[in-house]
């Protein structure tokens, strides 16, 4: 039935659309491909306010290791959200190896 359904699309010469979702990876991929601006306003996701502090350097200075850790955690969280918690895909977005991302997650 899987191949048969796909094979029928457009046989009558008219334009046809088909969407074949074979597994969860297909569904995740399609979700990432949908442009949010194509959705009706009530379905569009409003981005959350960033918890990343301002990058202005205060007079009293900053705790740089803490600031870097906070930014790193925020970016990892965003990458995981964007990829539906797919660690391999999130690692690629961040330019990391999957094993490095997994180690960083253990520290959070």
């Amino acid at each position: 039935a899987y191949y048969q359904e796909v094979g029928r699309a457009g046989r009558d010469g008219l334009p046809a659309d088909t969407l074949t979702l074979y597994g969860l990876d297909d569904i995740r991929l399609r979700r990432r491909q949908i442009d949010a601006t194509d959705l009706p306003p009530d379905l569009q996701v409003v981005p959350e306010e960033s918890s990343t502090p301002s990058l202005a350097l205060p007079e009293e200075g900053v705790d740089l290791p803490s600031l870097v850790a906070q930014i790193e955690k925020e970016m990892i969280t965003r990458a995981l959200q964007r990829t539906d918690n797919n660690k391999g895909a999130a690692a690629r977005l961040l330019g990391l190896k999957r094993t490095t991302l997994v180690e960083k997650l253990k520290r959070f």
Side-chain angles (χ1 to χ4, degrees):
Y2 175 78
Y3 294 104
Q4 205 171 21
E5 242 179 88
V6 173
R8 287 189 195 134
R11 273 184 160 164
D12 55 6
L14 299 174
D17 293 322
T18 184
L19 179 60
T20 308
L21 303 175
Y22 187 73
L24 289 177
D25 289 337
D26 291 330
I27 293 169
R28 287 185 191 111
L29 175 65
R30 299 303 172 248
R31 283 183 181 159
R32 289 193 300 271
Q33 289 175 333
I34 294 172
D35 184 2
T37 58
D38 293 337
L39 297 172
D42 57 321
L43 295 179
Q44 291 182 11
V45 177
V46 178
E48 294 180 20
E49 287 291 319
S50 172
S51 61
T52 305
S54 168
L55 293 180
L57 182 60
E59 287 296 319
E60 67 277 4
V62 296
D63 177 2
L64 189 59
S66 175
L67 177 63
V68 170
Q70 186 177 358
I71 293 169
E72 181 180 57
K73 185 175 182 179
E74 176 78 19
M75 295 305 290
I76 289 172
T77 300
R78 289 181 185 193
L80 287 168
Q81 287 172 345
R82 184 180 296 179
T83 62
D84 294 325
N85 288 318
N86 181 319
K87 291 178 183 75
R92 283 190 294 280
L93 281 176
L94 297 168
L96 299 172
K97 292 181 180 179
R98 184 184 183 284
T99 52
T100 303
L101 176 61
V102 169
E103 288 302 315
K104 288 180 180 292
L105 288 169
K106 287 178 184 177
R107 286 187 267 155
F108 292 155

